[in-house]
Amino acid sequence: MQTGYVTTPFGRRPAKLALVKGQLAVAASTPGTRVDKWKVFRDVCETREHFGLQDRALAVLDALLTFYPDQLLDAESGLIVFPSNAQLSVRAHGITESTLRRQLAALTDAGLIQRRDSPNGKRYAHRGRDGEIEQAYGFDLSPLLARSAELALLAQDVAAERTRFRRAKEALTICRRDVRKLITAAVEEGAAGNWGHVEMLYSEILVRHPRYPNRNQVEATLDEMGLLRAEVLNILEMQPNTENMIGNAIPNDRHIQNSKTESINEFEPSSEKKRGRNVDEKPHAKSADSAERKTKVDQGKAFPLGLVLRACPQVADYGPGGRVTHWRELMTAAVVVRSMLGVSPSAYEEACIAMGPENAAVAMACILERSNLINSAGGYLRDLTKRWQRGEFSLGPMLMSLLKANGESARHAS
């Protein structure tokens, strides 16, 4: 039976030079090669994306191989199968004829099968007196035999790439977990360092990471996260008395959420008597001490999270999963809001240094609520930061104003 010759397609299908080259390559392949057809099929399944094939194309190829009677593909036995579309559709799990035609064309374009068309385009075979097939017209499986070694190597490369991708994702998960827990431990135990800035860098790395990344994107994010982890470990390594952090209750006090929230007046003292000041002190000494005291009070004790969310409900939409349940998620949402409103990283970093990361996040939430009235969110935040440093601004009145604008009474904020 003739299997190693060049032929053109029947009907309106044009003859392409790539088709001719493929047929010549098959004709020039080493004779005497025998390969397990299902091993070749598994290699094709592994490399499906490389050829741009759909899963239904694999079903059609599987059906074609079932019409080849032997387990081993052997050119000496003839590699042309000639089932009708109806028979192919049944063995390909009942796919429609239009889909069958598309997938057969895809397999041909991928160079995995070849057409051997008859004069009238039908698929059939001529048999001799002994019943042996002398000439057949249909689909030639010779490319699978000729490319079996290539397909095996390509399948190994795909499997190795899949392994590298999986290990890169595992390494990123571990690195991300390390950074997240190290930052949390450092903040909760009062370690010295600009943890608001570190938190901001961590959140920005995650924001840039695609939802469905490839291996290169995962490795790029892993490199950034690895550098951040090294920086966090370097900061923690330079701590003077790491062993005393847990025993010191003062730094941890500002991270305790009290369900019985104090009056907002604690953050906004209105007179020298309420602050317990000596009225005989010099004016400049009073002013400097007042600003320092107010800054320490606001940084040392964040507002209750429930109060912030009632005053600024929009910020919850930008938290992980569209909600904010604790301060870490509020700080993450603030970084997203910062980027959305066009606030520069340097402006937000200055706010974190001056106000503390929690209060800077609250400030961003307030700016979000008033974004329709603010021309430049970045300039507004810088102004708030400067006023905070001079002791001329606190978040209490802004939160109270937003609570009233949202229709809540002052007693709900206390």
Side-chain angles (χ1 to χ4, degrees):
M1 186 174 79
Q2 298 178 7
T3 56
Y5 62 92
V6 175
T7 182
T8 56
F10 170 79
R12 296 182 179 180
R13 294 194 302 271
K16 298 181 180 180
L17 294 182
L19 175 64
V20 175
K21 288 181 66 176
Q23 293 182 357
L24 290 173
V26 170
S29 61
T30 304
T33 305
R34 304 178 68 193
V35 179
D36 189 323
K37 63 181 181 181
W38 298 121
K39 180 184 182 302
V40 177
F41 178 72
R42 287 194 296 271
D43 291 339
V44 174
C45 292
E46 288 284 346
T47 58
R48 173 174 68 89
E49 294 182 358
H50 174 80
F51 292 105
L53 298 175
Q54 300 179 358
D55 52 354
R56 292 194 173 187
L58 299 180
V60 173
L61 181 59
D62 175 76
L64 285 173
L65 289 173
T66 61
F67 286 100
Y68 185 77
D70 298 330
Q71 179 75 13
L72 299 178
L73 296 176
D74 186 357
E76 298 297 329
S77 302
L79 293 173
I80 296 178
V81 293
F82 41 91
S84 66
N85 283 350
Q87 292 174 318
L88 265 179
S89 177
V90 170
R91 295 200 187 183
H93 312 295
I95 64 176
T96 62
E97 184 171 346
S98 59
T99 302
L100 177 65
R101 292 180 184 276
R102 286 197 304 271
Q103 303 309 327
L104 286 171
L107 290 170
T108 303
D109 293 339
L112 298 176
I113 62 173
Q114 291 177 355
R115 294 179 182 270
R116 300 294 184 189
D117 289 341
S118 66
N120 60 3
K122 301 295 183 181
R123 300 172 203 145
Y124 57 87
H126 294 298
R127 298 178 182 272
R129 291 180 177 273
D130 55 0
E132 293 292 329
I133 297 176
E134 296 180 347
Q135 180 71 53
Y137 299 100
F139 298 106
D140 191 351
L141 303 179
S142 298
L144 292 176
L145 179 61
R147 303 181 65 180
S148 58
E150 174 194 347
L151 291 171
L153 292 176
L154 187 58
Q156 292 178 7
D157 292 340
V158 170
E161 173 66 19
R162 187 184 299 114
T163 299
R164 290 193 294 267
F165 188 22
R166 183 177 65 252
R167 291 179 179 175
K169 290 195 294 184
E170 291 174 353
L172 178 59
T173 299
I174 294 173
C175 188
R176 177 179 174 179
R177 181 185 66 198
D178 291 346
V179 174
R180 173 69 277 160
K181 292 196 173 184
L182 287 172
I183 294 175
T184 301
V187 173
E188 290 180 350
E189 298 180 19
N194 188 2
W195 299 111
H197 178 64
V198 175
E199 178 82 25
M200 179 183 65
L201 294 176
Y202 171 78
S203 299
E204 288 184 344
I205 291 174
L206 295 183
V207 168
R208 290 194 299 270
H209 189 62
R211 185 171 184 179
Y212 300 104
N214 56 35
R215 180 176 62 86
N216 292 332
Q217 292 169 327
V218 170
E219 290 180 346
T221 302
L222 177 60
D223 290 340
E224 292 187 76
M225 195 67 71
L227 290 174
L228 184 59
R229 178 173 60 180
E231 181 64 23
V232 170
L233 291 174
N234 184 48
I235 296 174
L236 294 177
E237 187 178 4
M238 297 174 62
Q239 297 297 315
N241 291 314
T242 306
E243 65 275 9
N244 294 330
M245 290 179 188
I246 300 178
N248 187 358
I250 300 301
N252 294 339
D253 183 64
R254 70 188 182 98
H255 300 286
I256 299 176
Q257 298 291 333
N258 188 357
S259 59
K260 295 182 179 180
T261 59
E262 291 80 358
S263 170
I264 204 71
N265 291 329
E266 179 184 350
F267 299 93
E268 290 292 303
S270 58
S271 68
E272 295 296 329
K273 288 184 179 181
K274 289 184 179 180
R275 289 194 293 266
R277 305 285 301 166
N278 186 349
V279 294
D280 293 332
E281 290 180 350
K282 294 182 180 181
H284 69 275
K286 275 195 303 183
S287 176
D289 187 64
S290 174
E292 181 182 0
R293 179 183 178 88
K294 182 168 73 67
T295 301
K296 287 183 178 180
V297 167
D298 277 342
Q299 289 185 0
K301 191 169 186 178
F303 291 92
L305 182 60
L307 181 148
V308 175
L309 294 179
R310 290 197 299 272
C312 310
Q314 294 184 44
V315 73
D317 296 335
Y318 300 91
R323 62 177 184 175
V324 171
T325 57
H326 51 76
W327 281 100
R328 299 266 68 78
E329 292 181 348
L330 178 64
M331 294 164 67
T332 301
V335 174
V336 178
V337 171
R338 189 275 304 165
S339 178
M340 183 193 70
L341 295 180
V343 178
S344 65
S346 60
Y348 188 64
E349 180 183 359
E350 291 173 4
C352 289
I353 294 173
M355 304 179 186
E358 293 91 347
N359 287 326
V362 173
M364 284 306 309
C366 293
I367 292 174
L368 175 64
E369 290 293 322
R370 294 182 172 180
S371 59
N372 59 330
L373 304 175
I374 299 173
N375 292 329
S376 174
Y380 188 74
L381 180 62
R382 288 187 186 274
D383 181 66
L384 294 183
T385 302
K386 293 178 181 178
R387 290 169 56 194
W388 180 288
Q389 292 170 333
R390 296 195 301 265
E392 299 173 357
F393 166 73
S394 184
L395 292 167
M398 182 180 289
L399 288 172
M400 290 295 294
S401 175
L402 290 172
L403 279 171
K404 292 178 181 178
N406 290 334
E408 293 205 23
S409 62
R411 65 183 179 85
H412 290 158
S414 63

